[in-house]
Amino acid sequence: MKKIMSLAFLALIFTSLGYAQPAPGQEGILVSEITHEKKKGKLVLVNGESHEGIFSYKEYGDRIIYYYGTSGNDKAIKFEEAKEIVSFTIEGRGTFYPIKLRQDATVFHMALLIAEEPGYNLYQFCQAAQGIAGFKIVGGRIQGSKYEQIAYHKRKEVFISQVTVKKIDKTINEYVDYCPELTAKVAKKEKGWKKSLLMRDFQVLLKVIREAETTCPQ
């Protein structure tokens, strides 16, 4: 009886840690970021070198890019310094670029490009995730993980963090000082240009940057 209870207890623990079977329809969802599964990819370095072949990478934890040569059987070469990387593309996931989590940061991190829009590029950075094989990726995100969005403002040439943009009606001119037609709408909280449950400060800012490319072209 005690043995049966012990097995049941262990099963409960494994389920809570993410070892449960995937939900119907989620079988085979990409898990390379979690398990370091080897995938085809390409790495471009600042010094002009490029490497194509087999890589493994996970978006959280050590965040080290491992390169196993063109065959996938070579001894792994580690790439740890994001500032030395131009871009890294891995099959089935997309392309990662070095970004700053804050504009005044001195360290670069690799983040997944999720949108190229007029005026900005949008990236997602995995701040924290469960570090256990078996977790699944659903909708382009690791289940149980915490992500932050970072935008690169092309005109200003600065990185803008989702978590640092606040009180947009009072701060909009700090981010966009070249399109008063739009910033005035935000300052006056006009309909469609103010913070709401569906459009937070960061989304309002992205809308202004995007629309400014048409309203106030250089």
Side-chain angles (χ1 to χ4, degrees), residues 75 107-108 118-119 127 161-163 171-173 194 196 204 206:
K75 183 178 179 181
V107 177
F108 283 84
Q127 287 282 19
S161 168
Q162 178 184 24
V163 300
T171 61
I172 183 61
N173 288 311
K194 64 180 181 178
S196 67
V204 174
L206 295 185

Side-chain angles (χ1 to χ4, degrees), residues 177-189:
D177 57 3
Y178 49 85
C179 196
E181 295 96 319
L182 298 183
T183 56
K185 294 177 182 290
V186 177
K188 295 176 183 178
K189 299 183 180 180

Side-chain angles (χ1 to χ4, degrees), residues 60-117:
Y60 65 93
D62 57 31
R63 295 190 175 93
I64 298 171
I65 296 172
Y66 295 89
Y67 176 53
Y68 300 92
T70 55
S71 67
N73 298 317
D74 295 349
K75 183 178 179 181
I77 299 174
K78 294 183 181 180
F79 295 90
E80 304 179 57
E81 292 293 332
K83 66 181 180 181
E84 298 176 359
I85 297 171
V86 174
S87 65
F88 171 57
T89 302
I90 191 163
E91 182 183 76
R93 189 62 177 141
T95 302
F96 294 78
Y97 294 88
I99 60 101
K100 289 183 178 182
L101 299 183
R102 307 288 184 276
Q103 182 55 31
D104 58 356
T106 58
V107 177
F108 283 84
H109 298 272
M110 298 302 292
L112 180 66
L113 177 67
I114 57 175
E116 289 187 83
E117 298 284 350

Side-chain angles (χ1 to χ4, degrees), residues 99-146:
I99 60 101
K100 289 183 178 182
L101 299 183
R102 307 288 184 276
Q103 182 55 31
D104 58 356
T106 58
V107 177
F108 283 84
H109 298 272
M110 298 302 292
L112 180 66
L113 177 67
I114 57 175
E116 289 187 83
E117 298 284 350
Y120 68 87
N121 289 341
L122 188 63
Y123 304 87
Q124 72 176 21
F125 176 75
C126 185
Q127 287 282 19
Q130 300 277 3
I132 301 170
F135 275 77
K136 303 300 177 185
I137 293 179
V138 179
R141 293 181 171 225
I142 303 169
Q143 281 186 329
S145 61
K146 177 184 177 183

Side-chain angles (χ1 to χ4, degrees), residues 28-44:
I29 288 178
L30 179 67
V31 294
S32 63
E33 285 77 14
I34 297 126
T35 62
H36 272 297
E37 181 184 357
K38 293 180 179 180
K39 306 288 276 186
K40 290 181 180 179
K42 181 176 181 179
L43 178 69
V44 180

